[in-house]
Amino acid sequence: MDHDNELGEMIPHTITRYRNHSLKEEQTHVAAEVPLTFEVNDREIATLMCTPSHLKAFACGFLFTSGFIKAADDILGMDLDRKKWRMEIRVRDLMDPDLLGKRVYTSGCGKGVMYTSMMELSGRHPIESSVRIPGEDIIRTMGWLQKCSTLHNTTGGVHSAAVSVNGALPGFHIDDIGRHNAVDKIIGTLLMEGTDCSNIVLATTGRISSEILHKARRLDIPILASRGAPTHQSVLLAEEMGITIAGFVRRTNFAVFTHARRILAR
């Protein structure tokens, strides 16, 4: 994994605390946020607000989930200009953005973008995965994810994402101010490491909306889990795509909205 975070994921800041009818200055930290521009084969593709870490994984994941590349090795090189927050990327064959369809700006923090034709293509064929995960493993994974992020625990300003393989605790997590950015960074990492995604659970602290679902579908991820809720559109799409959605994951229970056959009671 790349931890491209020279700026730092959080910035010190002095605040004034109101408590018990008094005011007092104290030190805290806020989550860092930068506008990162992706320039691919000398063509500007998008500028996204993000946390300045795992930026190579972010570029790979974004280009893949947006349909610009088909695999990590389609990327020939990446250079980051930290003064301008510009990532210059070279790929084998750049898909013309005009051919990918209309841009759809995604919901939530960190404002992302997807392309309508890629959204349509991602759902054409249902996932055929025989993986089955004990419900307790979903709960353990989400509990781990909620405790592992120093950035979230310190600033409260980011979302976290991780992957569990065959129900095991995740080996890493990634934070970002945007929940879809965190997912792109996870997907980029999986692509660059050549991970088999047929038996993984993608866990996220943010709600599961349709754009998150489309991103997971691009990599044939069979199970999505979140402490938050899915949207009605993501539930409808997950039924068609063959993806299992587990929402409202708590210490003792969660709700399976689609394809419950993949969740084992014991």
Side-chain angles (χ1 to χ4, degrees):
M1 294 178 292
D2 72 293
H3 300 277
D4 212 349
N5 58 347
E6 188 175 288
L7 172 67
E9 295 178 323
M10 51 185 161
I11 309 298
H13 185 71
T14 301
I15 63 170
T16 300
R17 175 79 64 185
Y18 173 82
R19 180 185 286 119
N20 298 329
H21 306 287
S22 66
L23 296 169
K24 182 181 179 181
E25 283 194 353
E26 62 182 63
Q27 297 300 308
T28 189
H29 289 80
V30 294
E33 178 181 23
V34 300
L36 180 65
T37 297
F38 293 128
E39 183 179 283
V40 186
N41 290 4
D42 300 318
R43 180 167 182 173
E44 187 173 307
I45 299 300
T47 298
L48 302 174
M49 304 306 298
C50 67
T51 300
S53 65
H54 302 88
L55 298 183
K56 290 181 180 179
F58 185 26
C60 182
F62 174 79
L63 293 179
F64 178 76
T65 60
S66 298
F68 290 108
I69 61 173
K70 295 180 179 179
D73 59 11
D74 287 340
I75 298 176
L76 303 178
M78 289 187 272
D79 296 298
L80 175 64
D81 184 335
R82 294 182 179 277
K83 292 182 179 179
K84 297 180 180 179
W85 287 109
R86 193 175 195 88
M87 180 79 79
E88 296 181 356
I89 308 164
R90 297 174 299 284
V91 301
R92 284 196 174 88
D93 297 298
L94 174 62
M95 174 72 75
D96 188 338
D98 294 335
L99 298 178
L100 289 176
K102 182 173 64 178
R103 293 188 183 193
V104 175
Y105 291 92
T106 59
S107 59
C109 52
K111 193 175 184 181
V113 61
M114 292 187 73
Y115 292 83
T116 52
S117 61
M118 289 314 303
M119 293 168 70
E120 292 164 2
L121 285 171
S122 67
R124 281 187 176 177
H125 305 290
I127 290 176
E128 295 181 2
S129 171
S130 60
V131 67
R132 302 185 75 191
I133 302 295
E136 284 302 312
D137 290 347
I138 301 285
I139 289 174
R140 286 194 312 120
T141 293
M142 190 58 61
W144 178 89
L145 182 59
Q146 287 190 270
K147 295 177 181 177
C148 69
S149 174
T150 300
L151 180 59
H152 174 74
N153 293 335
T154 302
T155 69
V158 297
H159 287 289
S160 304
V163 289
S164 165
V165 180
N166 281 326
L169 287 178
F172 70 98
H173 78 283
I174 293 179
D175 301 314
D176 198 277
I177 59 166
R179 56 192 168 80
H180 42 79
N181 292 348
V183 169
D184 271 339
K185 289 178 176 182
I186 287 287
I187 288 176
T189 301
L190 296 174
L191 278 170
M192 292 190 297
E193 294 183 350
T195 303
D196 177 8
C197 295
S198 63
N199 59 349
I200 71 171
V201 177
L202 172 61
T204 174
T205 56
R207 70 182 177 277
I208 299 175
S209 52
S210 57
E211 76 269 17
I212 299 296
L213 197 72
H214 283 291
K215 290 176 185 296
R217 177 63 184 86
R218 285 279 287 154
L219 210 54
D220 288 346
I221 294 173
I223 304 175
L224 298 184
S226 175
R227 181 173 173 79
T231 63
H232 115 276
Q233 194 65 231
S234 65
V235 171
L236 292 176
L237 290 169
E239 286 284 6
E240 296 179 3
M241 294 178 181
I243 295 176
T244 300
I245 292 181
F248 299 113
V249 182
R250 299 294 188 268
R251 293 176 60 184
T252 61
N253 70 95
F254 56 88
V256 185
F257 288 83
T258 58
H259 300 284
R261 66 182 185 279
R262 295 202 181 96
I263 307 301
L264 298 173
R266 295 183 183 276

